[in-house]
Amino acid sequence: MNLVIVESPTKARTISKFLNRNYKVLASNGHLIDLPRSKLGVDIEHGFEPNYITIRGKGKLMKELKAAGKKADQVFLAADPDREGEAICRHIGKALNLDLEKPCRVEFHEITKAAVKEAFSAPRLINQNMFDAQQARRILDRLVGYKISPLLWSKVRSGLSAGRVQSVAVRLICEREAEINNFKAEEYWTIDALLEEPESKGNFKAALDRYKKKKIELKQKADAESVVAAVKDEVFTVSQITRSNRKRRPAAPFTTSSLQQEASNRLGYTSRKTMSIAQQLYEGINVGEKETSGLITYIRTDATRVSAQAQDEARSLIKSKFGKEYLPEKPPQYKSRQGAQEAHEAIRPTVVNLEPDLIKQHLSRDQNRLYRLIWERFVASQMNPAVYDQIRVNIVAGDYQFKATGSSLLFSGFLILTKAEDENGETILPPLKEGQLLKLSDLFPEQHFTQPPPRYSEASLIKTLEEKGIGRPSTYSPIIETIQGRGYVVRENKAFIPTELGFIIVDLMLNYFPEVIDIDFTARLEQQLDDIETGKLKWLQVITDFYDGYFKDRLSYAEEKIEKVEIAPELSDEICPQCGKNLHYKHGRFGRFLACPSYPDCKFTKKIVKETGVLCPVDGGMIIERRSKKGRVFYGCSNYPTCNYSLWNKPLREPCPKCGSLMTEHWKARNHYARCNDKDCGYEKALFLKKSSANI
């Protein structure tokens, strides 16, 4: 009998169905061995030797695995194909006294029958370099966290932590907030001309572009008035028409980062939710008559490479489903970011022919939505680009030049699958020819103000971390969870806002540990971890250079010089009904709340109610913002539990013009729109940001 050890019970159940009776598959439920939580666990004086122990509560499971290992003819270790999986395998291998000089490591990137059987036919040695890279990360993070955090407890408040990567993420959010606070809006104006083509009577708009062949900028109302006065009596003539074909190419298959970003933008999922659902799809789901199998490939990857077999399957499906004109001559190749682990594939369906609609009934709503996103992205990536007929028209009016751009879809390409819209929409211009005179119908000057950079959303923060080389695919989700859980940032309207505590922590880190919170330094350290994995560097040298090179001295200086930081309480106008004191604003797991400053003598707390200004259609109570047990925002009647009316989408004050029912706010991709809450009505309309305009 052979023993196979994986991390997850779900994964164990799936794999056991692919192997014969000579294999017994057990799960370790993640890590069994790690550094102790109660102390540093790293011997700094003796070569940074880690002190690994069996994790508390997992002793019984370890005994069971050891007993099963003694009875087995051979033990195979089949954790996930990444550094963390390699560490799990090596720790279990040593605990079970396996001969690690013999092949016992089984690696597969998708949990399908073919992939699993192929992996078991060619086990390999445990990769020591991968283990060393993971060990180096754990020790670095432990040194930073367990050395700096006690300083924060004594000088700021208990319960805080300083992480090697999380601190950089908080810094990015704080610096963006400072940019927003320091931003000074500048006024500018644009002018559109509504023109008519005399023969067809077709109207179109052209935007003011140049004055005497130079780009024109209108800073204030007087500038716009001057232009309007100058051009209103001029003759508008088509001076140049340029036609071209523009190709819109499909995006590359998903990496971990791009999947988290797209799931956030299109589905509204947090990175944690995305990875949880993706893990379910990866580990295996029963889809009816077929045996349980993984539906997607391994979910922690930064590569866009896909196997030749997967490309062939996709090409066959595209040809039969859409026609050969949608098929490129050669399978497309996508460039991964620098340093990506090309041994991994992109995230893709394991069986391309399992179309989302065919297995929809076997998946939960969330599983189906994410699987559809992954399936469509992969298949679209193997299709021809969309082609647009684009026309650019230059129009002169005296010394002024206007421009109009139109486009129409000539060939849908991959858009036939994704049904995505062009970023600029489709604009059709009337038939025009050079030298043609046009009739001016009206001029539309419009006032604008420059906008500050937007706050980071979860998607944009992950994108920035990846671009700057901070963290790796498996770290983005825990980073975001940690910085919110510690109260360094809060999320409002899907955007991260730093708290006062966040600013304090960043300032302390900048003053006393500038290297730890330096973006470039952190990126270089990530590259060094990659170099350990490839054998270019030794893990002990990287740790020694970090600790002895500067961290030890920085730590000594901070312990001596750092002063106590007093965080002034943020008072509210509300009075505690139990003791009469002004309630303080506090930050908790689910956002801000009010609490009595006399805690623990007085334990009164109160939720902060955010009113929407919309009345409940059932009993007339106020609809307020609420949160589910899992922290998800929804909207419900303030008279709950007497009235349990609730909505997931934000209600709008304006009633439906068609039936008078409640309207709710929705986002789809980058489109912002209102929809009637009455499904039988179906009324929708686009929502736009308000702009200031003026007629001159």
Side-chain angles (χ1 to χ4, degrees):
M1 176 69 72
N2 297 315
L3 175 65
V4 182
I5 301 176
V6 297
E7 320 95 300
S8 156
T10 303
K11 187 175 175 182
R13 286 192 294 270
T14 304
I15 291 173
S16 63
K17 295 178 181 179
F18 300 150
L19 302 173
N20 60 40
R21 295 179 180 178
N22 293 326
Y23 291 86
K24 181 179 182 180
V25 187
L26 297 178
S28 68
N29 292 319
H31 288 274
L32 286 174
I33 295 172
D34 199 2
L35 299 173
R37 295 187 64 181
S38 58
K39 58 182 180 181
L40 179 64
V42 177
D43 191 344
I44 297 173
E45 303 300 326
H46 298 88
F48 300 95
E49 187 67 28
N51 174 31
Y52 291 115
I53 63 168
T54 301
I55 296 172
R56 181 178 295 179
K58 291 198 172 185
K60 182 179 178 182
L61 179 56
M62 177 64 84
K63 287 181 180 178
E64 292 174 357
L65 293 179
K66 285 182 176 180
K70 288 179 181 179
K71 296 177 183 178
D73 297 323
Q74 188 170 358
V75 178
F76 294 99
L77 306 171
D80 285 344
D82 56 15
R83 294 175 189 167
E84 198 164 1
E86 210 70 17
I88 290 173
C89 290
R90 189 177 185 281
H91 285 315
I92 292 176
K94 289 194 70 175
L96 270 58
N97 294 317
L98 302 183
D99 184 355
L100 299 184
E101 297 300 318
K102 294 182 179 179
C104 63
R105 175 72 163 110
V106 176
E107 178 182 311
F108 37 82
H109 296 263
E110 58 185 70
I111 305 179
T112 59
K113 191 171 187 177
V116 169
K117 287 199 168 186
E118 182 180 351
F120 273 90
S121 68
R124 63 168 173 80
L125 295 173
I126 288 177
N127 188 318
Q128 184 64 36
N129 290 338
M130 287 182 70
F131 172 79
D132 287 344
Q134 177 65 17
Q135 179 169 262
R137 178 184 290 279
R138 290 289 291 127
I139 294 175
L140 283 171
D141 291 344
R142 184 56 66 101
L143 290 172
V144 171
Y146 277 55
K147 288 294 186 180
I148 299 179
S149 295
L151 280 174
L152 300 181
W153 301 342
S154 63
K155 302 300 183 180
V156 185
R157 78 177 189 202
S158 62
L160 303 181
S161 69
R164 186 179 58 83
V165 179
Q166 75 184 48
S167 299
V168 178
V170 178
R171 177 183 180 177
L172 289 169
I173 294 169
C174 288
E175 288 180 344
R176 176 60 58 86
E177 193 70 17
E179 284 184 69
I180 294 170
N181 293 335
N182 296 328
F183 181 82
K184 293 182 179 179
E186 295 182 2
E187 179 185 5
Y188 70 98
W189 286 71
T190 60
I191 297 177
D192 286 344
L194 180 62
L195 303 170
E196 179 183 307
E197 194 279 317
E199 294 182 11
S200 66
K201 301 295 183 181
N203 292 324
F204 66 99
K205 278 188 176 182
L208 177 65
D209 185 39
R210 296 175 181 273
Y211 174 67
K212 292 185 177 179
K213 298 184 179 181
K214 292 183 178 180
K215 274 286 183 182
I216 187 170
E217 293 183 357
L218 307 177
K219 296 291 188 181
Q220 53 193 359
K221 184 177 181 179
D223 297 336
E225 289 176 335
S226 174
V227 173
V228 169
V231 303
K232 65 181 181 180
D233 296 322
E234 291 286 353
V235 176
F236 283 73
T237 308
V238 177
S239 63
Q240 185 180 31
I241 298 176
T242 306
R243 285 186 176 274
S244 62
N245 284 348
R246 179 175 66 87
K247 291 184 177 181
R248 182 181 173 190
R249 301 185 184 279
F254 281 128
T255 61
T256 305
S257 168
S258 59
L259 175 63
Q260 292 174 350
Q261 293 172 51
E262 194 73 357
S264 175
N265 289 330
R266 290 186 57 183
L267 306 179
Y269 291 174
T270 63
S271 57
R272 179 182 182 181
K273 181 175 181 177
T274 298
M275 297 308 290
S276 174
I277 299 168
Q279 187 76 26
Q280 296 165 16
L281 297 174
Y282 165 69
E283 290 186 342
I285 292 176
N286 190 316
V287 289
E289 296 179 0
K290 292 181 176 291
E291 59 191 0
T292 300
S293 179
L295 296 182
I296 61 174
T297 53
Y298 189 52
I299 59 175
R300 293 178 180 87
T301 176
D302 51 8
T304 57
R305 183 187 69 82
V306 294
S307 69
Q309 180 183 346
Q311 286 185 316
D312 290 342
E313 291 177 3
R315 290 174 67 82
S316 177
L317 180 139
I318 293 165
K319 186 176 180 180
S320 62
K321 190 176 181 69
F322 303 108
K324 62 181 181 181
E325 64 270 24
Y326 289 88
L327 203 59
E329 289 186 13
K330 296 180 180 179
Q333 301 295 324
Y334 294 92
K335 186 177 180 181
S336 299
R337 72 168 184 83
Q338 186 176 359
Q341 298 181 28
E342 290 297 336
H344 290 182
E345 283 193 61
I347 302 171
R348 60 167 178 81
T350 55
V351 181
V352 181
N353 287 326
L354 280 181
E355 298 181 34
D357 288 338
L358 296 178
I359 58 174
K360 183 177 181 179
Q361 68 272 27
H362 302 294
L363 305 180
S364 69
R365 179 176 181 269
D366 286 338
Q367 288 172 341
N368 177 66
R369 295 177 79 196
L370 193 67
Y371 179 71
R372 184 179 297 276
L373 199 67
I374 294 168
W375 186 89
E376 287 185 351
R377 177 75 164 238
F378 170 65
V379 176
S381 74
Q382 304 303 306
M383 299 176 73
N384 269 323
V387 181
Y388 290 85
D389 175 32
Q390 187 160 294
I391 179 172
R392 178 187 173 96
V393 181
N394 291 336
I395 300 157
V396 295
D399 290 331
Y400 294 89
Q401 179 177 304
F402 290 74
K403 69 174 182 180
T405 304
S407 65
S408 59
L409 187 64
L410 293 178
F411 175 65
S412 59
F414 73 96
L415 295 180
I416 195 173
L417 171 65
T418 62
K419 298 179 176 62
E421 297 179 5
D422 179 56
E423 59 271 19
N424 298 316
E426 185 170 301
T427 305
I428 305 297
L429 297 178
L432 300 169
K433 54 182 179 289
E434 292 183 2
Q436 183 176 11
L437 301 182
L438 303 172
K439 179 182 177 182
L440 175 65
S441 298
D442 206 348
L443 289 167
F444 298 97
E446 192 166 19
Q447 182 187 36
H448 307 267
F449 292 91
T450 54
Q451 298 295 312
R455 289 188 172 111
Y456 284 108
S457 65
E458 191 158 327
S460 62
L461 180 61
I462 289 172
K463 182 179 180 182
T464 301
L465 290 172
E466 183 182 41
E467 288 175 346
K468 294 184 178 296
I470 307 299
R472 285 299 180 261
S474 61
T475 64
Y476 300 133
S477 179
I479 287 170
I480 289 170
E481 283 186 57
T482 301
I483 63 178
Q484 291 181 93
R486 300 296 184 188
Y488 301 150
V489 304
V490 294
R491 180 157 44 188
E492 293 184 8
N493 297 324
K494 299 185 178 181
F496 290 121
I497 303 173
T499 62
E500 181 186 5
L501 180 61
F503 278 112
I504 289 172
I505 297 302
V506 168
D507 287 342
L508 285 174
M509 294 292 288
L510 284 171
N511 287 332
Y512 295 99
F513 301 96
E515 292 88 358
V516 173
I517 203 169
D518 182 75
I519 294 170
D520 292 336
F521 175 84
T522 305
R524 287 197 299 272
L525 205 53
E526 290 288 355
Q527 183 58 54
Q528 289 179 328
L529 294 175
D530 291 346
D531 289 342
I532 294 172
E533 181 174 340
T534 58
K536 296 178 183 177
L537 289 175
K538 297 296 183 182
W539 75 270
L540 184 57
Q541 187 61 51
V542 172
I543 301 296
T544 303
D545 290 347
F546 173 82
Y547 190 83
D548 293 341
Y550 45 84
F551 186 68
K552 180 171 63 175
D553 293 338
R554 292 288 188 191
L555 198 61
S556 299
Y557 178 76
E559 289 171 344
E560 179 184 350
K561 297 293 184 181
I562 195 169
E563 297 179 354
K564 181 75 176 177
V565 178
E566 295 291 340
I567 303 178
E570 186 181 355
L571 294 175
S572 75
D573 295 329
E574 294 197 46
I575 304 298
C576 176
Q578 296 181 6
C579 67
K581 295 183 179 180
N582 282 78
L583 297 176
H584 289 186
Y585 286 101
K586 298 285 186 179
H587 291 279
R589 181 183 174 189
F590 300 123
R592 286 173 27 120
F593 65 96
L594 292 169
C596 182
S598 298
Y599 179 87
D601 296 328
C602 178
K603 298 182 179 180
F604 178 80
T605 61
K606 181 181 178 181
K607 294 180 180 179
I608 297 175
V609 176
K610 293 184 180 180
E611 297 185 349
T612 62
V614 180
L615 299 181
C616 174
V618 176
D619 69 352
M622 177 62 68
I623 297 180
I624 61 174
E625 181 181 307
R626 300 174 62 190
R627 286 184 181 269
S628 68
K629 291 181 180 179
K630 294 184 177 180
R632 183 179 174 187
V633 172
F634 71 99
Y635 302 88
C637 181
S638 58
N639 293 329
Y640 177 84
T642 305
C643 176
N644 60 5
Y645 181 81
S646 63
L647 301 156
W648 284 116
N649 295 90
K650 184 177 180 180
L652 301 173
R653 297 188 182 189
E654 180 186 355
C656 174
K658 186 176 177 182
C659 71
S661 298
L662 200 69
M663 297 276 284
T664 51
E665 181 183 61
H666 295 262
W667 289 88
K668 187 175 182 181
R670 294 176 178 82
N671 297 322
H672 188 200
Y673 64 98
R675 177 193 295 168
C676 180
N677 205 46
D678 185 344
K679 294 181 180 179
D680 295 330
C681 174
Y683 175 80
E684 290 184 1
K685 76 167 187 176
L687 293 176
F688 302 96
L689 293 175
K690 292 182 178 179
K691 295 187 290 187
S692 173
S693 61
N695 291 320
I696 298 178

